[in-house]
DNA sequence: TTGCGATTGTAATCACTTTCACAATTATAA
DNA sequence: TTATAATTGTGAAAGTGATTACAATCGCAA
């Protein structure tokens, strides 16, 4: 095991390995080789081994990796060995879609509270998640010690929402509004922009000699 | 101008430059330097120039870039100089959220038809988009010569949907189901997995010495 | 017309990531 | 017990991407 900078792409691939491992566990598989683990993800066996080696020696030479223990090792590496409470701000179409998004809990995420400013929505319960008034963001997030939030408000309200969230102690933001959000240095932000994803597709369709496959 | 492999990240950054340029155009700015263009995107001026240089010599030494012509040059490079018709399959919560997603038309994308299997939805018009029976996917996509599709069906139907779409001549797929889709070599696919995005956030929160900022 | 500050485009360098290739280890069968 | 096939972990090499630094060019003011 070494203590050097881990490539961002290696981290992303860990999620893919984890997904494969979960399938294998379901099938009752006990051990797996890097070669098999790499299958279907368009990655080499050496890449798999290298990625894993950034975090520890998880395999046994001549044998491979134990499926169950590799699952828990990767989960632990990714910080998925505990439950993450998530706050959702903006219960519009996209927001309520996310409340129903399958696979969040699989990785240990639980949207535990949602906020909106629409009086018609406030007070309702959506998929066991209570919708609260946005004016209570700071109070509730502080009280529940929530660290991750999803922003699905209209673009005009996005920056103000980010400000309130960071003030409330949120440390990670998944932002769906197509806009720069200015946030403190110590807060992590990830922006998902669907128009840009489509745009990428358009680029690679236009220049179709290259590739745009992405299995993440 | 050179003819070498363009880094994927460079292509992504072009979208950010384009967004900045659109703001600048609105403000009536006529020319702009790589230095100013880089601002707010956490990128160096040299990076901007390098990215642009993969596609041509768009600037003038001592002067900078003409805002209007750089906009159209970048659009042309990205394949956004024409309108792209897009088919949407699966008008559930996420699907209907995408029908309302602002910013798609800004880049020239138009969801021109949507498909679902629910008789209660078929025939309705959603934001000027007619919802058709999924059994007609192949016929309509062939007729309209649509090249890009978005898959927002439940995970259980995703692979079958991808099969039909590629059979109909779709060349690019934006996939929102958390699953591998097996598709022909010449079809481009981009998968958006919200759980993995959150997972990335969790990783960088857990290992908070590194960074997870991403402005795309 | 000349000189100067601004700015690009890119060659060279530096940094990071992936691939290669093989010693070390393990299980198993003879 | 020994030989063999399977498989990992990793140092070194190759490949890719980002940064640096500067010659070349431009507009403008004197």
């Amino acid at each position: 095991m070494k203590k050097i900078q881990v490539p961002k792409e290696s981290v992303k691939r860990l999620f893919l390995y984890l997904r494969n491992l979960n399938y294998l566990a379901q099938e009752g598989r006990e051990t797996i080789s890097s070669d098999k683990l790499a299958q279907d993800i368009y990655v080499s066996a050496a890449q798999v081994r290298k990625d894993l080696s950034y975090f520890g020696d998880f395999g046994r030479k001549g044998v491979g990796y134990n499926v169950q223990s590799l699952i828990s090792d990767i989960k632990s590496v990714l910080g998925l060995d505990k439950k993450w409470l998530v706050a959702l701000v903006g219960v519009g179409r996209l927001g309520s879609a996310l409340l129903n998004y399958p696979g969040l809990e699989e990785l240990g995420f639980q949207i535990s509270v949602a906020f909106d400013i629409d009086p018609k929505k406030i007070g309702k319960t959506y998929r066991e998640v209570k919708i609260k008034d946005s004016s209570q963001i700071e109070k509730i997030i502080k009280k529940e010690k929530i660290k991750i939030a999803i922003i699905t408000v209209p673009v005009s309200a996005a920056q103000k929402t980010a400000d309130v969230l960071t003030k409330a102690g949120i440390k990670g933001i998944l932002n769906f509004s197509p806009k720069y959000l200015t946030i403190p240095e110590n807060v992590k932000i990830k922006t998902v922009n669907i128009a840009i994803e489509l745009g990428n597709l358009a680029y690679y369709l236009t220049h179709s000699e290259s590739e745009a496959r992405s299995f993440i």
Side-chain angles (χ1 to χ4, degrees), chain A residues 78-123:
Chain A
L78 293 176
L80 302 178
D81 50 356
K82 56 173 171 292
K83 183 161 253 170
W84 288 90
L85 298 185
V86 178
L88 176 85
V89 187
V91 192
R93 270 175 260 265
L94 183 55
S96 52
L98 293 184
L99 285 174
N100 281 278
Y101 192 79
L104 288 192
E105 59 251 67
E106 195 186 314
L107 291 190
F109 297 102
Q110 188 198 337
I111 298 180
S112 62
V113 59
F115 298 96
D116 207 292
I117 53 167
D118 183 348
K120 286 199 290 290
K121 292 175 185 164
I122 295 166

Side-chain angles (χ1 to χ4, degrees), chain A residues 4-209:
Chain A
I4 62 160
Q5 172 66 26
V6 179
K8 273 203 314 260
E9 292 298 318
S10 293
V11 175
K12 285 192 192 172
R13 283 190 293 265
L14 291 186
F15 290 92
L16 306 186
Y17 306 151
L18 183 56
R19 184 162 63 182
N20 271 183
L21 286 163
N22 283 328
Y23 286 133
L24 292 163
Q26 270 173 29
E27 288 168 11
R29 219 27 221 261
E30 286 197 358
T31 63
I32 189 74
S33 66
S34 58
D35 193 41
K36 293 278 185 306
L37 201 44
Q39 222 154 6
D40 303 332
I41 337 189
Y42 291 72
V43 150
S44 70
Q47 181 77 79
V48 173
R49 298 199 296 277
K50 187 65 127 187
D51 287 342
L52 293 174
S53 78
Y54 289 122
F55 300 99
D57 294 356
F58 303 122
R60 291 181 65 197
K61 298 181 184 189
V63 181
Y65 300 88
N66 177 281
V67 172
Q68 287 300 341
S69 62
L70 188 54
I71 286 177
S72 58
D73 285 336
I74 291 182
K75 278 190 175 176
S76 153
V77 160
L78 293 176
L80 302 178
D81 50 356
K82 56 173 171 292
K83 183 161 253 170
W84 288 90
L85 298 185
V86 178
L88 176 85
V89 187
V91 192
R93 270 175 260 265
L94 183 55
S96 52
L98 293 184
L99 285 174
N100 281 278
Y101 192 79
L104 288 192
E105 59 251 67
E106 195 186 314
L107 291 190
F109 297 102
Q110 188 198 337
I111 298 180
S112 62
V113 59
F115 298 96
D116 207 292
I117 53 167
D118 183 348
K120 286 199 290 290
K121 292 175 185 164
I122 295 166
K124 292 210 171 141
T125 295
Y126 205 106
R127 261 244 172 168
E128 296 173 30
V129 179
K130 247 198 163 159
I131 301 177
K132 310 258 187 177
D133 190 317
S134 292
S135 65
Q136 303 200 60
I137 289 179
E138 194 173 345
K139 194 186 96 196
I140 293 174
I141 284 181
K142 272 185 177 159
K143 188 170 142 229
E144 311 275 343
K145 295 190 172 51
I146 298 173
K147 294 296 167 217
I148 294 182
I150 303 177
I151 295 183
T152 46
V153 300
V155 60
S156 56
Q159 181 62 59
K160 226 159 58 183
T161 302
D163 294 344
V164 176
L165 288 172
T166 52
K167 188 145 171 269
I170 285 292
K171 294 296 176 207
I173 293 175
L174 186 58
N175 169 42
F176 281 86
S177 80
K179 186 160 187 324
Y180 300 131
L181 298 182
T182 307
I183 48 161
E185 263 299 320
N186 64 329
V187 176
K188 318 289 176 192
I189 187 161
K190 196 99 193 359
T191 297
V192 174
N193 186 322
I194 289 149
I196 292 184
E197 302 296 338
L198 272 183
N200 249 279
L201 226 37
Y203 172 81
Y204 288 103
L205 252 53
T206 306
H207 305 252
S208 51
E209 60 295 354

